[in-house]
Amino acid sequence: MGRDEELAHLDGLLARHRLVAVTGAAGVGKSRLARTAVERRDVEVTRARWWTQGPAGGPDALTGVATALGLPVTAGFDAVAEALRGGPRLLFLDDVDPVRGGCVTLVQRLLQALPELRVLLSGRQPLGLGDEVVLRLGPLSLVPSGDGTPSAAVRMFLSRLPPRSARPVAAGAAGRTVLDLCARLQGVPLALRLAAEQVGRRPLAEVATLVETAQCRLAGDGGGWRHRSLHAALGASYALCERADRITWARLSVLGGDFDEDTAVRVAAGGRLRTRDVPACLARLALASVLEPVRDPGGVRPGRYRMAAAAREFGFERLRDAGEAAEAVERHLLWCRDAAESAQRLWQAGLQRQAVALVCAEEANLRAALVRPPRSAAQAETALHAVVALWFWWGVCGHTGQGRSYLQRLLPLSPEATLLRARALWLAGWLAVRCGEDDAAEALRAAGEVAVLVGDDTTLGHVADASGVLAAFLGDRDLAIACLRDAVRLIPEEVCYGPSVAHSWAVLACNQAHTSLAAARRSVRYAVALRRTRDDRWARCTTAYALAFVDHLAGRPARAWRRARRALREAEVLGNPLGTVVVERLLAEIQRVPASAPALPDRRRVPRRRRDAPARHAEPGADGSLARGALREAP
C-alpha cells in the first residue's frame, strides 16, 4: 500500500541490473516490496530467507541457498552453481543481515560464474559490491494527495483496524488523532500495523498516549509479519551492530532531533568510545538504517542524521541498563549550554540570522535537554545558563511561553544570589512584560535586588528598560521615560547579553514622542548613531520603527510609511511576531488618510531610475495635480 512508485522503480532496476538490493530500517516493508516485485516477473525464482533471529535454512549463506534449491546441506559451491545454471533465473536473498559476510563472497562468485543470473536481496544494509544497485526504502508518505485522499500512512493504519473500529476512527476528532498518531509513528508500516491492532483492544486516545510515551513497546500477534513488536525488530538490528556502534546508538538516544557529526562527538564520545571513532560509527549506523541521513555529508554543509523515536527509546533502555544514562544526560546538557552560548555570541555579534538558524536546527535537541528534570543543583544551573543565553529566542522570536515555563521550573532550584540568577529573574520579568502577565513587576523587582547585591549594572539597565515598557503599557508615561533614561545610562554599548542600548534609546524615543517630538528625535538619533546599530538587525528594526513613529506623529506620512515598511522587513526576516504586529498596527494608522488624498505607494515596487536613464515627468491628472508617487525631476 502506497508503494506504487517504489515498486515501478524496483521493476526497472531488475530489468537493467544484475544485482539489486532493497535496504531500509526495520519494519519498513523491504521484504514485502521485494516479494511483490518478484511475483510480478515472469521468470523462475529461487528464494532463500534468513530470519533476523537466526538463519532458518542453515548456519551460513551457502547452506541457506542450497536448502532453498533442494540440495543437501553439505552441498558445495559447484553444486549450487550447477543447480542455478541453465537459463535466466532470479535468486532472491531475503533478510541477508545475519549472514551478510558470507553473502558478499557467495553473490560475487555466483555472478562471475553465471552470466545470466540476477540477484535481488533485502536487508538493512547493502552488500557493498561494485555492481550493486541500491533502492533505499523509506517510510510511507504522511502527505495527503491533492484530490483529498488520505496519505499512504493513514490508509495503511485504517486498513489494519478491526472492522468494528474503522468507521468511528476515520472522521471527526478521532480522525485528527489518527493523523497525529501516524506522524508520531513516522509512517513506518510495522509500527502502523501494531498500533492499529491496539485500537481493537483499548480506546484510540489510550493508544495515542502509548505511542507518545512508549512507542518501542508496541506489540501484536504477528499476522504473518516477521516481527511481533518494534522492540524485537530493533533488538535484531542492535544484535547485528558492532560494539562501538551499539555504544554510539545508546548514547545518541538522549538527543531529541536530527544532529550533525560535531554534536554526536560531544554527546557520544568518552570512555571506551574514542572521539575519532564516532564518525565511522555514524556511517555504519546510517548504512544499517539505524540512522537516517537528513543531509548527506561531503557537501559544503556538514551532514546531519536522524534517529527514529522507537530507536531512541530502545537505545535509552540499553543506556539505562548499562548504568550510563546519567553521564550521557550530563554530556547532553553541557552540549545544550555550549550551543545556546554560541547562538548568543552570534546574535550579539550582529549575526542574528545565523543565530536564529542555529537554534532552529538544534531546537529539538535543546528542548530534549531542557525539559528533562535536573538531578542536581549543578545541572539546574547549567540548564539555567542555556535558557538565559537563549533570551532572544524566547523574547524576540516568539517562544515566550516556552521560555517562561523553563524559568518557572529552574529558578526555584537556584535560590542563591548570583549573577546568573539576576539575569534569569530579569529574563522572567522581561518575558512576562512582553506577553502581558501580572507577575512582571514582581520578577523585575526581584531581579533588581539581586543585581544590586552582585553589582551588575548591565542587568540593572535591562531591568530599567523592561520596567519602562511595563510603565508605558500601564499608561504611566512619565515613569516610563524615567526608567528608560536609567536604562540608556546603565546599558553599555558592547553588551554581552540582552537587548542593546540602541533598543532602549528607540523605546525611549517612542515614549517621548507623545510629549516632545524634539526630544524624541534626539533619542532616536542617538540610537542610529551607535556603531552596533548598523550590524544589529533587531536594533535596526526598532530604530526604524521609532523613526516611523516620530514621523507619523509629526505629520509626515510618506516618510513614516517608508520607514515602517523597512522595520517590517527586518521583523519578518528575524521571525519577530510581536514586532511584526506592532509595525503592522503603525502601518494601518499611517494609511488612515482622508478619502480625498491619493493612496500611498508601495515603494518596494517602484523601480529605481538608473543614473544614465532619461528623466521622466509625471502626467497631470484630471484636476491638474501630479500623482503623489510620480518622479518630479528637472530635465
Side-chain angles (χ1 to χ4, degrees):
M1 183 175 295
R3 297 296 194 187
D4 295 339
E5 184 176 346
E6 291 89 343
L7 192 57
H9 184 42
L10 181 57
D11 287 338
L13 293 179
L14 289 173
R16 298 189 302 271
H17 302 280
R18 296 183 63 199
L19 176 58
V20 180
V22 180
T23 66
V28 82
K30 305 178 292 295
S31 295
R32 294 213 166 195
L33 181 73
R35 187 171 69 246
T36 304
V38 165
E39 292 171 352
R40 289 159 51 124
R41 297 186 65 81
D42 186 16
V43 64
E44 187 177 357
V45 179
T46 298
R47 182 189 184 194
R49 187 180 191 186
W50 292 268
W51 291 87
T52 306
Q53 289 77 5
D60 55 30
L62 181 61
T63 305
V65 175
T67 303
L69 291 169
L71 300 176
V73 295
T74 57
F77 174 79
D78 293 336
V80 169
E82 186 62 31
L84 291 171
R85 197 184 308 274
R89 183 187 289 267
L90 177 62
L91 178 61
F92 178 25
L93 305 178
D94 194 5
D95 192 17
V96 301
D97 295 290
V99 291
R100 179 175 175 271
C103 277
V104 172
T105 304
L106 176 62
V107 169
Q108 189 173 31
R109 293 182 64 187
L110 287 175
L111 292 177
Q112 291 175 352
L114 306 172
E116 300 298 326
L117 180 68
R118 294 179 184 270
V119 178
L120 171 65
L121 62 94
S122 68
R124 290 173 176 82
Q125 55 182 312
L127 298 182
L129 296 174
D131 295 334
E132 186 177 26
V133 180
V134 180
L135 171 61
R136 189 177 183 89
L137 192 62
L140 292 173
S141 173
L142 296 168
V143 180
S145 59
D147 58 357
T149 305
S151 65
V154 172
R155 286 188 281 119
M156 172 74 177
F157 178 81
L158 295 177
S159 68
R160 292 289 174 171
L161 288 173
R164 64 179 182 277
S165 305
R167 180 169 296 179
V169 163
R176 291 188 293 272
T177 304
V178 168
L179 293 177
D180 181 67
L181 187 146
C182 292
R184 289 185 181 278
L185 294 173
Q186 300 175 323
V188 177
L190 175 61
L192 294 170
R193 180 188 67 81
L194 295 174
E197 287 186 13
Q198 294 294 324
V199 176
R201 306 168 189 168
R202 60 184 76 186
L204 179 63
E206 190 175 333
V207 175
T209 302
L210 176 65
V211 167
E212 183 177 359
T213 58
Q215 185 180 136
C216 187
R217 291 297 174 182
L218 284 175
D221 57 4
W225 287 61
R226 182 177 314 167
H227 305 294
R228 298 194 175 187
S229 70
L230 283 176
H231 192 275
L234 293 166
S237 298
Y238 188 79
L240 294 170
C241 292
E242 299 179 11
R243 181 179 179 82
D245 300 346
R246 296 179 188 178
I247 296 174
T248 304
W249 179 351
R251 292 179 178 177
L252 292 179
S253 64
V254 299
L255 298 173
D258 56 82
F259 53 89
D260 58 13
E261 186 177 297
D262 291 338
T263 301
V265 169
R266 284 291 309 275
V267 174
R272 291 169 292 181
L273 185 63
R274 297 173 297 183
T275 298
R276 65 186 184 188
D277 296 333
V278 174
C281 293
L282 294 178
R284 288 194 294 268
L285 288 173
L287 194 64
S289 303
V290 175
L291 297 179
E292 176 189 357
V294 179
R295 189 170 64 218
D296 291 334
V300 176
R301 297 185 298 173
R304 294 184 71 86
Y305 302 91
R306 178 190 296 121
M307 186 183 295
R312 287 201 306 270
E313 291 179 15
F314 183 89
F316 195 77
E317 286 183 7
R318 307 284 76 72
L319 195 66
R320 192 168 49 236
D321 294 343
E324 295 186 4
E327 184 181 353
V329 167
E330 181 75 22
R331 284 196 298 265
H332 183 204
L333 191 57
L334 291 173
W335 168 87
C336 173
R337 181 200 62 190
D338 294 344
E341 290 180 349
S342 297
Q344 178 185 237
R345 286 192 293 270
L346 288 172
W347 182 278
Q348 301 300 150
L351 303 174
Q352 278 91 3
R353 294 184 67 180
Q354 291 86 334
V356 172
L358 173 60
V359 181
C360 285
E362 304 294 349
E363 183 181 7
N365 295 323
L366 293 169
R367 188 188 310 115
L370 294 175
V371 301
R372 196 177 287 122
R375 293 178 175 268
S376 63
Q379 285 192 359
E381 184 177 349
T382 302
L384 198 57
H385 265 293
V387 174
V388 173
L390 293 174
W391 64 270
F392 63 90
W393 181 253
W394 319 126
V396 180
C397 299
H399 302 85
T400 308
Q402 189 178 359
R404 277 174 53 80
S405 67
Y406 294 145
L407 290 169
Q408 289 170 356
R409 181 167 53 85
L410 294 172
L411 275 171
L413 303 178
S414 302
E416 297 182 5
T418 60
L419 181 62
L420 176 62
R421 180 171 176 80
R423 294 179 178 181
L425 287 170
W426 157 76
L427 180 58
W430 184 59
L431 295 179
V433 170
R434 293 182 75 81
C435 61
E437 296 294 334
D438 297 334
D439 58 344
E442 178 62 24
L444 291 174
R445 183 192 61 78
E449 292 176 354
V450 178
V452 169
L453 288 175
V454 299
D456 185 9
D457 289 343
T458 301
T459 299
L460 282 174
H462 288 148
V463 170
D465 174 89
S467 300
V469 175
L470 178 61
F473 285 162
L474 298 176
D476 193 341
R477 194 73 60 187
D478 294 335
L479 178 59
I481 292 175
C483 291
L484 290 165
R485 285 189 182 280
D486 290 339
V488 298
R489 179 174 56 85
L490 292 170
I491 300 175
E493 182 176 354
E494 300 294 332
V495 65
C496 62
Y497 80 100
S500 66
V501 67
H503 178 270
S504 298
W505 276 115
V507 178
L508 175 60
C510 292
N511 283 274
Q512 290 173 328
H514 292 278
T515 57
S516 173
L517 288 176
R521 287 196 183 95
R522 284 195 300 271
S523 296
V524 76
R525 284 170 186 164
Y526 280 128
V528 173
L530 291 171
R531 181 180 58 84
R532 292 290 298 272
T533 304
R534 295 190 298 271
D535 301 326
D536 191 329
R537 188 178 292 273
W538 190 40
R540 294 203 304 267
C541 175
T542 53
T543 52
Y545 175 83
L547 287 168
F549 187 70
V550 172
D551 286 334
H552 172 57
L553 295 185
R556 298 174 176 174
R559 184 183 297 179
W561 186 86
R562 289 195 299 272
R563 285 171 168 169
R565 293 294 300 180
R566 189 183 312 152
L568 181 62
R569 286 195 294 272
E570 299 288 2
E572 290 174 344
V573 168
L574 285 176
N576 182 5
L578 180 60
T580 302
V581 170
V582 171
V583 177
E584 287 178 344
R585 190 179 303 161
L586 177 60
L587 283 168
E589 292 180 3
I590 295 172
Q591 291 285 54
R592 294 196 187 99
V593 294
S596 58
L600 294 175
D602 188 345
R603 296 287 181 179
R604 296 183 304 171
R605 299 179 181 176
V606 177
R608 294 185 178 181
R609 186 179 64 84
R610 299 195 311 271
R611 291 185 177 181
D612 56 346
R616 292 179 293 154
H617 300 274
E619 295 294 334
D623 56 353
S625 62
L626 291 175
R628 202 165 174 180
L631 296 173
R632 292 186 287 270
E633 194 169 312

